[in-house]
């Protein structure tokens, strides 16, 4: 106990400048960083709880001071660089700011500094910003959504405006094929101009989206925003859901396990796992298929508010956050990319995408393969990137994939949407045959998975 007391005393001596309002923002930030570097999760949780307003004040002041400094050095002949000293400091501040959403969930739910935090996130996700800053802003936004119990309109509008859907085009359907059914509320699409159309996604008329387009960037990207920038953000959204599912099964007591892990980079979901061995060199053995597995496949399954069996979930907070994130991405992006599905279930989806743009289709199919399929059937483990290897210590990969399947396929609406994603994957041009192979792999896995668990309803 004596050693522990001395350790804490040394830490508090180092952090003294942090509490001195007369000190410059830089000195206060450096003292705070020294404390973070020398403390453990428990120390940090206690410190943030006891000094929450000072923490916010220092981080906010440091953030805007660095933004001003970076913008002041940005010149036409020598633009600001993401690797500059000030930019690295700014990224350090954003990581610390994200930590507040992990360590202070009760304060966040109570509306703690909403306006100031929104301004910081908006500045980061501005459309003309460098992709690295936009990614950091999105991670803060996701952590924020993980914390809240009720929808915050300003937060939702910001989430719905991060991805730039107007940069994408639908793929051309094969001759003779049409979009999946015309349903009440869905858009009837013309068969002209090679089945392409001028689409005007809802984001174009979203005032927050327009604001993000017009905002002055902190560090401008060398080129105009590209589709790949939005795909990287979309994959981060999906990865957040997968991480939360792992944490929901882990029962970790660490508060750091509650919200989005603040780690450096996301995996490339758009690069599907190699399916050669599964699709080309492995024959389909139907000898083990029992009739009992396929009975009652047409049974309509009502929505279940809590479809998860006892014993599977050890962290209810993480499960709640994961299901909320799934509803967010489905409502604000997937129903825009698959508007016929939105119309089928009376969920809006004001978009003229006849088909889902190929990059989104590839990313989502890869997500299904990596995180939603039964590993005992696919032979693939849960595909965690190297920087998330610490999650492997929980040894609950099959539980996490089972949990994902249960809450992402828990209603007719969900199953219909996932089925349409797979269906469109089979209709892509031959030049994108890797997408078709992903859809075929998913179908093959479903065929040899317990039907009672999946309960999929095909169109």
């Amino acid at each position: 106990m004596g050693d522990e007391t001395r350790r804490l005393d040394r830490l508090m001596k180092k952090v003294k400048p942090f509490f001195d309002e007369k000190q410059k923002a830089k000195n206060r930030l450096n003292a705070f960083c020294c404390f973070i570097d020398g403390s453990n999760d428990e120390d940090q949780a206690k410190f943030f709880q006891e000094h929450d307003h000072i923490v916010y004040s220092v981080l906010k002041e440091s953030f805007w001071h660095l933004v001003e400094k970076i913008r002041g050095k940005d010149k036409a002949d020598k633009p600001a660089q993401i690797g500059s000293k000030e930019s690295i400091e700014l990224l350090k501040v954003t990581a610390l700011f994200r930590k507040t959403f992990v360590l202070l969930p009760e304060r966040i739910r109570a509306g703690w500094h909403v306006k100031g935090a929104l301004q910081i996130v908006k500045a980061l996700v501005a459309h003309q910003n460098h992709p690295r800053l936009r990614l950091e802003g999105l991670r803060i936004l996701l952590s924020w959504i993980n914390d809240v119990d009720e929808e915050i309109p300003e937060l939702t509008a910001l989430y719905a405006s991060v991805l730039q859907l107007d940069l994408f085009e639908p793929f051309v359907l094969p001759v003779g094929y049409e979009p999946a059914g015309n349903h009440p509320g869905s858009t009837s699409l013309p068969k002209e101009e090679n089945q392409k159309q001028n689409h005007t996604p809802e984001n174009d008329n979203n005032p927050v989206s327009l604001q993000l387009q017009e905002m002055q960037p902190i560090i401008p990207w060398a080129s105009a925003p590209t589709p790949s920038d939005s795909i990287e953000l979309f994959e981060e959204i999906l990865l957040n859901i997968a991480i939360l599912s792992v944490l929901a099964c882990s029962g970790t007591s660490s508060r750091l396990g509650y919200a989005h892990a603040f780690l450096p980079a996301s995996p490339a979901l758009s690069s599907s796992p190699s399916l050669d061995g599964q699709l080309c060199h492995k024959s389909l053995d139907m000898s083990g298929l029992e009739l009992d597995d396929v009975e009652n496949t047409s049974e309509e399954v009502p929505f279940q508010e809590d479809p998860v069996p006892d014993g599977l979930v050890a962290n209810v907070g993480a499960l709640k956050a994961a299901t909320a994130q799934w509803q967010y991405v489905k409502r604000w992006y997937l129903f825009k990319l698959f508007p016929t599905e939105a119309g089928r279930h009376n969920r809006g989806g004001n978009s003229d995408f006849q088909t889902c743009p190929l990059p989104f289709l590839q990313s989502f199919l890869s997500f299904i393969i990596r995180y939603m399929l039964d590993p005992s059937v696919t032979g693939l483990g849960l595909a965690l990137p190297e920087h998330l290897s610490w999650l492997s210590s929980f040894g609950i990969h099959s539980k996490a994939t089972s949990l994902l399947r249960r809450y992402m396929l828990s209603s007719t609406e969900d199953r219909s949407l996932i089925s349409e994603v797979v269906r469109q994957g089979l209709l892509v041009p031959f030049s994108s045959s890797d997408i078709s192979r992903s859809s075929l792999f998913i179908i093959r896995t479903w065929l040899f998975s317990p039907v009672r668990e999946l309960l999929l309803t095909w169109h």
Side-chain angles (χ1 to χ4, degrees), residues 108-174:
I108 302 302
R109 279 192 287 276
W112 186 76
H113 296 295
V114 170
K115 289 185 179 179
L118 274 172
Q119 289 305 313
I120 289 175
V121 177
K122 278 184 181 179
L124 289 168
V125 299
H127 290 172
Q128 303 299 323
N129 256 342
H130 189 283
R132 177 65 191 279
L133 289 183
R134 299 198 69 217
L135 181 61
E136 291 302 315
L138 175 65
R139 286 174 172 170
I140 294 172
L141 186 59
L142 294 176
S143 295
W144 195 341
I145 293 171
N146 289 347
D147 283 338
V148 297
D149 290 326
E150 297 180 359
E151 190 173 294
I152 301 173
E154 298 89 346
L155 200 64
T156 301
L158 188 56
Y159 177 94
S161 307
V162 172
L163 305 189
Q164 295 172 270
L165 299 186
D166 56 315
L167 299 176
F168 295 84
E169 292 287 340
F171 69 86
V172 180
L173 284 168

Side-chain angles (χ1 to χ4, degrees), residues 3-45:
D3 291 341
E4 179 66 13
T5 302
R6 283 193 291 272
R7 182 184 71 83
L8 290 174
D9 285 344
R10 286 196 296 269
L11 274 176
M12 294 311 294
K13 283 180 182 178
K14 289 181 180 180
V15 83
K16 270 187 179 181
F18 169 80
F19 297 102
D20 188 352
E21 294 182 3
K22 296 179 181 179
Q23 292 279 349
K24 292 182 179 179
K26 181 180 178 180
N27 294 336
R28 298 182 78 185
L29 178 64
N30 286 339
F32 186 45
C33 289
C34 284
F35 171 80
I36 295 296
D37 292 341
S39 59
N40 55 37
D41 294 349
E42 190 177 338
D43 297 334
Q44 292 172 24

Side-chain angles (χ1 to χ4, degrees), residues 236-286:
E236 186 69 19
I237 290 172
L238 297 179
L239 177 64
N240 183 50
I241 295 174
I243 292 172
L244 288 167
S245 299
V246 174
L247 294 172
C249 298
S250 72
T252 174
S253 59
S254 171
R255 298 180 68 90
L256 297 182
Y258 177 79
H260 189 285
F262 27 87
L263 298 159
S266 62
L269 283 178
S270 53
S271 302
S272 299
S274 175
L275 307 180
D276 291 342
Q278 288 81 0
L279 287 178
C280 295
H281 308 301
K282 193 172 183 179
S283 60
L284 301 182
D285 179 10
M286 302 186 67

Side-chain angles (χ1 to χ4, degrees), residues 326 334 341 364-365 368 372 408-409 413-423 442 446 456 458-459:
W326 168 234
L334 293 178
E341 285 301 304
F364 197 62
L365 287 170
I368 294 173
M372 288 183 65
M408 288 181 70
L409 297 171
E413 175 184 286
D414 293 331
R415 297 190 294 275
S416 179
L417 175 61
I418 298 295
S419 298
E420 176 60 14
V421 173
V422 176
R423 188 190 79 92
I442 292 168
W446 281 344
L456 282 167
W458 288 87
H459 303 317

Side-chain angles (χ1 to χ4, degrees), residues 127-404:
H127 290 172
Q128 303 299 323
N129 256 342
H130 189 283
R132 177 65 191 279
L133 289 183
R134 299 198 69 217
L135 181 61
E136 291 302 315
L138 175 65
R139 286 174 172 170
I140 294 172
L141 186 59
L142 294 176
S143 295
W144 195 341
I145 293 171
N146 289 347
D147 283 338
V148 297
D149 290 326
E150 297 180 359
E151 190 173 294
I152 301 173
E154 298 89 346
L155 200 64
T156 301
L158 188 56
Y159 177 94
S161 307
V162 172
L163 305 189
Q164 295 172 270
L165 299 186
D166 56 315
L167 299 176
F168 295 84
E169 292 287 340
F171 69 86
V172 180
L173 284 168
V175 176
Y177 282 85
E178 294 189 17
N182 289 323
H183 309 281
S186 65
T187 307
S188 179
L189 299 163
K191 297 181 182 177
E192 45 191 54
E193 294 185 8
N194 248 354
Q195 295 186 329
K196 285 188 179 181
Q197 60 285 317
N198 294 322
H199 56 279
T200 54
E202 190 175 317
N203 281 19
D204 290 353
N205 300 316
N206 183 339
V208 178
S209 181
L210 295 173
Q211 187 181 1
L212 294 181
Q213 291 175 27
E214 296 168 359
M215 282 183 70
Q216 181 187 0
I218 300 172
I219 303 175
W221 189 216
S223 61
T226 64
S228 61
D229 299 336
S230 286
I231 291 298
E232 183 182 12
L233 299 179
F234 179 65
E235 292 179 348
E236 186 69 19
I237 290 172
L238 297 179
L239 177 64
N240 183 50
I241 295 174
I243 292 172
L244 288 167
S245 299
V246 174
L247 294 172
C249 298
S250 72
T252 174
S253 59
S254 171
R255 298 180 68 90
L256 297 182
Y258 177 79
H260 189 285
F262 27 87
L263 298 159
S266 62
L269 283 178
S270 53
S271 302
S272 299
S274 175
L275 307 180
D276 291 342
Q278 288 81 0
L279 287 178
C280 295
H281 308 301
K282 193 172 183 179
S283 60
L284 301 182
D285 179 10
M286 302 186 67
S287 59
L289 185 62
E290 300 291 340
L291 290 176
D292 185 56
D293 288 337
V294 295
E295 65 181 6
N296 298 324
T297 56
S298 61
E299 179 185 352
E300 180 63 18
V301 181
F303 173 73
Q304 302 173 33
E305 200 165 303
D306 183 14
V308 182
D310 293 339
L312 184 58
V313 176
N315 186 329
V316 177
L319 174 62
K320 188 176 180 180
T323 52
Q325 292 284 356
W326 168 234
Q327 294 303 320
Y328 265 80
V329 70
K330 186 171 64 171
R331 176 183 175 187
W332 296 109
Y333 290 114
L334 293 178
F335 279 145
K336 292 178 184 178
L337 296 169
F338 298 91
T340 53
E341 285 301 304
R344 183 192 298 273
H345 302 288
N346 299 315
R347 294 294 297 269
N350 298 327
S351 159
D352 290 337
F353 281 118
Q354 180 184 22
T355 55
C356 179
L358 292 175
F360 282 110
L361 197 57
Q362 184 178 34
S363 290
F364 197 62
L365 287 170
S366 296
F367 172 80
I368 294 173
I369 290 172
R370 287 173 180 247
Y371 300 108
M372 288 183 65
L373 298 185
D374 187 347
S376 67
V377 178
T378 63
L380 300 172
L382 190 66
L384 292 171
E386 186 177 347
H387 71 276
L388 294 178
S389 58
W390 59 278
L391 291 171
S392 301
S393 62
F394 297 130
I396 40 101
H397 294 172
S398 60
K399 284 187 177 181
T401 56
S402 178
L403 183 62
L404 265 167

